[in-house]
Amino acid sequence: MKRKWNRLIPLIITVGQVVVFPYYVIWLKGVSLTFTLFAWLFATHSFSAAWGYRTFQTKKNKEKSRISFVYLGMGCAYLVVGQFNIEMDFLPYIALILQVLLGFLQGYFRAWHVEQDSYHLHAVNHYILVGWIMISLSFIKIISPVVIISMFGWLLCGCGLLKMLGKNVSN
């Protein structure tokens, strides 16, 4: 049972990232105040994701990827986003740090996921699941983006802990 969950966690993460992305964009747009800052924050995310992808690709021992810490890091970043739903003068700086962190971790995760045997099966299931979840979420009108982002943060942290426990049980 634990091994099956460990194989499904990357699919849950990739689907969740795509589903949460529109809600995250709404939060980021509210934080950035101008389109120029919004574009710069997105560029920062892209550059950081490339850095994370490259970091994983240059690892000599890819078996020791510590992917559970990547899940926990992404989860904590989304939980921080969920906590900052008020306006503050330094919120764009927090968003910049979060963009760098999330970008790096998502790039690292993507590079790791591509190396997994189940990646091709996950890619097909990913599109189907995202479609169904987005249709389902379109009928929900009372949940704010911050709630969705926070729930995904908790899910990521849970996946990180499951992954850690799965490794400890199998050792």
Side-chain angles (χ1 to χ4, degrees):
M1 179 73 170
K2 290 184 191 304
R3 286 187 175 175
K4 185 176 183 180
W5 269 108
N6 276 334
R7 286 193 321 254
L8 290 177
I9 288 174
L11 177 62
I12 293 168
I13 303 301
T14 56
V15 168
Q17 286 175 344
V18 172
V19 168
V20 168
F21 190 70
Y23 297 100
Y24 183 76
V25 168
I26 291 168
W27 176 83
L28 189 63
K29 189 171 184 286
V31 167
S32 56
L33 305 174
T34 67
F35 181 75
T36 303
L37 182 56
F38 180 74
W40 278 82
L41 289 172
F42 250 92
T44 302
H45 183 274
S46 296
F47 295 141
S48 297
W51 176 37
Y53 195 96
R54 182 72 179 140
T55 299
F56 181 83
Q57 290 298 322
T58 57
K59 281 181 68 95
K60 290 182 177 43
N61 187 358
K62 292 183 181 178
E63 298 299 319
K64 294 189 179 199
S65 60
R66 306 205 189 276
I67 200 68
S68 55
F69 291 111
V70 172
Y71 297 156
L72 287 170
M74 285 190 293
C76 289
Y78 280 115
L79 288 173
V80 168
V81 167
Q83 296 304 311
F84 288 110
N85 57 354
I86 57 173
E87 290 188 33
M88 294 182 242
D89 291 337
F90 58 90
L91 200 52
Y93 300 107
I94 292 171
L96 178 64
I97 293 167
L98 289 170
Q99 286 293 88
V100 170
L101 179 65
L102 275 174
F104 180 83
L105 293 173
Q106 286 178 353
Y108 190 91
F109 167 74
R110 183 73 56 219
W112 172 83
H113 193 199
V114 168
E115 299 281 330
Q116 304 306 303
D117 293 335
S118 60
Y119 176 74
H120 297 294
L121 178 62
H122 284 177
V124 172
N125 292 335
H126 169 267
Y127 293 115
I128 293 168
L129 286 171
V130 167
W132 282 113
I133 292 170
M134 293 308 284
I135 288 171
S136 300
L137 285 175
S138 72
F139 292 109
I140 300 173
K141 298 194 186 307
I142 56 172
I143 296 179
S144 76
V146 172
V147 172
I148 300 284
I149 292 168
S150 295
M151 287 177 15
F152 184 59
W154 284 113
L155 178 68
L156 282 167
C157 289
C159 288
L161 292 174
L162 273 175
K163 188 75 172 167
M164 282 181 180
L165 293 174
K167 283 184 180 178
N168 290 339
V169 168
S170 65
N171 289 342

